[in-house]
Amino acid sequence: MLKYIRRRPVLWFVGLVLPALASFAVNFGFSLSLNAYTAELTREDAAFRSVLLLMAATAVSLVFAVIIEDVARHLFYTFSLKTQNDVRQEIYERTVRTKYASLSDADRGAFYTRYNRDSAMAASIPGGDLFGILFPLVHAVGYFIALFAVHALIGALVSGLTVAVMALNLLFVNRFRRLESESLAAREALTRSVDTAVRGKITVRQLQLAGPVSARMAEAADGVYRAGRKSIRLQLCRKLTLELLTTVCTSLITPVACVLAAYGKIELASTVMIAQICRFILLQTNGLGTAVQQLGVHLVSYRRLQETLSLPDEYAEQESAVGWESDPGVPAVELRGFGVAYDGNVVLCDAQAVIRHGEITAVLGPSGSGKTSLVNALLGLVDYSGELRVFGAEARGIRPDELRRRIAYSPEHGQLFGEDSVLENLRYAAPESTEDEVRRVCARLSLDGVELTRPADALSGGQRLRVSLARALLRDAEIVILDEPTAALDSVSEAVVLELLNELKARGKTVLLITHRSTTMEAADRFLLLADRKLYAFDDCAAAASALRRVESGRDGTS
C-alpha cells in the first residue's frame, strides 16, 4: 500500500496529520479552558469580565481549529477516493495484462466482489484505517501527559485501564476477521448466482428455470444475511462487554479524583479537567479499538486482492524479437514438435506443419481437437511445447502486443462490445481509420445498410459475425485468422465472404481458415487436420474433406 501513498504523499500526510492535531487542539483547549473557568469562578475575587475574555478567546480558537480539521478531513477523503480508483484500475490492468491461461478458471463472482468490495476495503488501509489509529493515538498521548501532569496516580491508573481494554480488543479482531472471510465468500456466491441468471436469461426462459434459479439466488442471499447477522451479534457482544467495561472503569476515575481533592492532593478545579479528559479518553479508546478491528477486517480484502494483483504480467516476461520482419523466404507460421496440454491433459502433441505466405490454409477437425488451442498459441494466449515460429521468430520471444499487431482474428461468434456502437467496435482494431474507410469495408461485407451508430447488441448473429470480419480487415495484418466465418451466414453472405478470401490472398495475406463447411474449404490452398492429438497435412481438398468425415464418424482420419 506504500505505493499509493507515494503517489500523493502531500495529500496523504496533510489529510492524516492535520485533522488529528486540530481535533486534539480543540478538545484539549476546551479542557484547559474549562479548568481555567472553574479556577476563576472559585476565587473570592472572581471577575466576570475575565471569564468572558476566556470564553471569547476559547471560542475563536475552537472555531479556527474546527475549520482546519474539516478542510483536512476533506483532503483525506479525496485521497481515499483516489486510492480506491487506483486499486480498481490496477486490478483491471493486471487482469488484461496477465496470461490468458491464468484466467481460464477465473470465478466471476470472486472477480466482481474483489473489484467492487475488496478494492474499497483495501483502499481504506492507507487512508481510513491509519487515520482511525493515528487520530485517537494523538489525542491519547496528549491526554495522558495532561493527566500525569495533574497527578501521577491518576495517570498511571488510566494508563493501566487503557492497556487492558486494548488487549481485550485484540480478542475480537480475529473473530471479526473470520466473519469477514465468511461474508465475502457469501457475497461471491450471490454475485455468481446473479451473473449466471443474467447471462443465461434466454436459457432460463426457454427451459422455464425461473423457480430453481430464484431458489438458488435466495439461498445465496440467505448466506449473506446469515454472515451479516453473525457480525451484528458480535458487534453487540463487543458493546455489552468491552465498551461497557471501558465506560464503567473510566467513570470511576472522577470519584477517585474527588477523593484526592478532598485530601488536598490536587486542586478542586483540576477534578473537572480530569473528568473531561477521562471522557475524551473513553471516546478515543473505543475509537482506537474500532480502528484496529476494521484494519483486521480490511486486511482480509487486501490479501484476497494480492491473488489478483500478483498474476504474472505477460508483457513483462517477454521482449520484442530483434529484427522481426516479414521474409518471403521464411514460412509465415511453422510448427516443430508443437504441442498443447492443459493440466496434464494433452490436446495436441508433436505437430509438424508449415504455413506459407500468401496462402489460405484451412484448419479442420472435430470439436476439442485443438483448433482453438492452436489459434490461442499463435496469439500468445497459452503456453505450448516444441517450437512455434512466426515469420521465423520463436513466438515465446515476441512481446504479445508485437505478435498480435501482426495478426488479425475474427472469432467464431463475432465477439463485440455490445454497449458500444458498430463504429466504435470497428475502430478498436484500427483507431486511425477514417469513417469513409470503415464504410468501404462495411460495404464489402454487405453491411452498408447497418447504421454505424447502432449499438452492437442490437445486431443479429450474422451481422455481428460480419462486423467481426470487417474489424479483422481494418486491422490490415499480415496473418488473418477467421474462425467459422460463414457458419451463421446464408448462401449470399457466404459468397461475399468467399470473395473476400480470394481478395485477401491476392493481397498477399496469410489466411488461417477454421471451418466445417465444404464450400468454404474449397477456397483453401492447403489443409491441416487435427485429430487424435495429432496434426495431418493435405494438399488436396477432397482428401482433406474425406479424412474429416472419417474422423467425425469415429474412424481414424488417416486410414
Side-chain angles (χ1 to χ4, degrees):
M1 285 296 173
L2 289 176
K3 60 185 175 183
Y4 301 114
I5 295 175
R6 287 196 293 265
R7 291 177 185 176
R8 304 176 183 89
V10 175
L11 194 64
W12 175 80
F13 183 78
V14 172
L16 184 67
V17 175
L18 275 189
L21 294 177
S23 178
F24 170 73
V26 169
N27 292 313
F28 191 66
F30 179 71
S31 298
L32 292 177
S33 299
L34 189 61
N35 186 57
Y37 299 156
T38 307
E40 181 67 25
L41 291 173
T42 54
R43 291 173 53 186
E44 293 183 0
D45 58 342
F48 186 65
R49 181 173 178 274
S50 299
V51 174
L52 289 178
L53 289 175
L54 277 173
M55 293 178 63
T58 301
V60 172
S61 60
L62 291 181
V63 169
F64 182 71
V66 168
I67 292 174
I68 294 177
E69 180 183 355
D70 289 343
V71 171
R73 282 180 181 271
H74 172 75
L75 294 176
F76 206 57
Y77 293 148
T78 302
F79 169 82
S80 298
L81 288 174
K82 288 182 176 294
T83 300
Q84 184 173 329
N85 286 340
D86 288 344
V87 174
R88 287 178 173 168
Q89 185 64 22
E90 189 172 355
I91 294 172
Y92 170 76
E93 290 178 356
R94 178 60 62 181
T95 302
V96 298
R97 289 177 63 90
T98 194
K99 291 183 177 181
Y100 177 78
S102 301
L103 300 175
S104 58
D105 296 326
D107 185 304
R108 287 193 182 92
F111 176 80
Y112 295 148
T113 303
R114 291 178 185 183
Y115 185 83
N116 292 312
R117 180 177 173 83
D118 286 330
S119 62
M121 298 298 100
S124 298
I125 294 175
D129 291 342
L130 287 182
F131 181 84
I133 292 174
L134 180 64
F135 190 88
L137 280 179
V138 170
H139 287 68
V141 169
Y143 293 145
F144 282 126
I145 291 174
L147 284 177
F148 275 101
V150 173
H151 198 278
L153 177 61
I154 294 292
L157 185 59
V158 175
S159 298
L161 290 175
T162 302
V163 171
V165 167
M166 291 309 303
L168 291 174
N169 255 298
L170 296 178
L171 298 178
F172 283 91
V173 170
N174 289 332
R175 297 187 64 183
F176 276 108
R177 189 180 300 171
R178 288 194 296 270
L179 270 180
E180 180 67 9
S181 297
E182 182 180 334
S183 175
L184 289 171
R187 289 175 181 273
E188 286 180 4
L190 178 59
T191 304
R192 191 183 307 117
S193 298
V194 173
D195 180 69
T196 300
V198 172
R199 292 172 62 85
K201 53 187 177 292
I202 296 177
T203 303
V204 169
R205 287 161 176 76
Q206 178 187 5
L207 300 179
Q208 298 181 348
L209 297 176
V213 170
S214 178
R216 182 184 300 175
M217 292 177 63
E219 182 180 355
D222 191 53
V224 176
Y225 167 76
R226 289 194 299 269
R229 281 291 303 273
K230 289 180 182 179
S231 180
I232 292 173
R233 287 197 295 268
L234 188 58
Q235 291 280 10
L236 179 61
C237 180
R238 183 178 182 273
K239 287 183 176 296
L240 293 178
T241 56
L242 185 59
E243 294 187 15
L244 182 60
L245 175 64
T246 305
T247 303
V248 172
C249 291
T250 309
S251 300
L252 293 177
I253 301 298
T254 302
V256 172
C258 292
V259 171
L260 292 174
Y263 283 93
K265 301 297 182 181
I266 59 175
E267 295 182 3
L268 179 62
S270 297
T271 60
V272 178
M273 180 182 177
I274 289 173
Q276 184 72 8
I277 289 179
C278 286
R279 183 178 70 84
F280 289 149
I281 288 179
L282 167 64
L283 295 175
Q284 302 308 327
T285 301
N286 287 335
L288 182 59
T290 301
V292 172
Q293 168 198 315
Q294 290 299 316
L295 175 61
V297 169
H298 296 162
L299 283 173
V300 174
S301 292
Y302 175 75
R303 295 189 185 101
R304 284 162 49 87
L305 283 181
Q306 293 312 298
E307 297 177 14
T308 299
L309 297 179
S310 61
L311 290 171
D313 186 340
E314 64 177 359
Y315 293 92
E317 293 182 0
Q318 294 177 320
E319 297 181 356
S320 180
V322 178
W324 190 53
E325 299 293 340
S326 300
D327 182 356
V330 177
V333 179
E334 186 175 6
L335 308 178
R336 299 177 183 175
F338 175 83
V340 178
Y342 301 100
D343 297 326
N345 180 29
V346 178
V347 177
L348 192 63
C349 65
D350 198 28
Q352 312 287 336
V354 172
I355 298 173
R356 299 181 177 88
H357 286 277
E359 290 189 347
I360 300 176
T361 301
V363 182
L364 315 173
S367 177
S369 61
K371 300 187 298 296
T372 300
S373 296
L374 174 59
V375 171
N376 287 341
L378 272 171
L379 293 171
L381 299 177
V382 298
D383 293 327
Y384 56 88
S385 59
E387 295 184 33
L388 170 58
R389 295 189 169 273
V390 182
F391 300 119
E394 168 55 50
R396 292 189 187 91
I398 306 171
R399 276 181 56 93
D401 53 348
E402 288 288 331
L403 182 64
R404 293 161 195 164
R405 183 176 59 83
R406 311 285 283 273
I407 299 174
Y409 174 49
S410 175
E412 179 179 0
H413 300 292
Q415 297 167 359
L416 306 176
F417 294 96
E419 67 276 11
D420 295 335
S421 68
V422 173
L423 179 60
E424 290 170 327
N425 271 279
L426 290 170
R427 277 185 169 163
Y428 285 141
E432 71 286 352
S433 60
T434 66
E435 187 169 336
D436 288 340
E437 290 172 333
V438 170
R439 291 188 181 280
R440 282 197 296 271
V441 171
C442 288
R444 287 159 58 190
L445 287 165
S446 300
L447 286 170
D448 42 329
V450 176
E451 181 58 47
L452 294 180
T453 57
R454 189 178 184 183
D457 267 343
L459 301 177
S460 67
Q463 288 173 328
R464 292 173 68 87
L465 179 57
R466 280 180 284 158
V467 170
S468 178
L469 290 171
R471 187 166 59 187
L473 290 181
L474 277 173
R475 191 69 175 271
D476 195 30
E478 294 164 271
I479 298 176
V480 181
I481 303 175
L482 305 178
D483 192 348
E484 298 290 357
T486 60
L489 304 180
D490 55 30
S491 57
V492 175
S493 299
E494 182 183 14
V496 171
V497 173
L498 293 176
E499 182 181 346
L500 172 64
L501 291 174
N502 291 325
E503 181 182 337
L504 290 172
K505 180 180 177 180
R507 291 168 53 190
K509 304 295 184 183
T510 303
V511 181
L512 268 67
L513 181 62
I514 302 174
T515 184
H516 282 88
R517 279 195 177 186
S518 58
T519 51
T520 308
M521 287 173 54
E522 293 173 356
D525 301 298
R526 301 182 189 280
F527 308 86
L528 300 178
L529 173 63
L530 281 64
D532 302 322
R533 295 180 294 183
K534 296 186 180 299
L535 185 148
Y536 307 98
F538 297 87
D539 292 329
D540 181 70
C541 180
S546 177
L548 177 61
R549 286 194 296 270
R550 289 196 297 271
V551 168
E552 291 178 335
S553 64
R555 292 179 288 167
D556 186 353
T558 61
S559 61

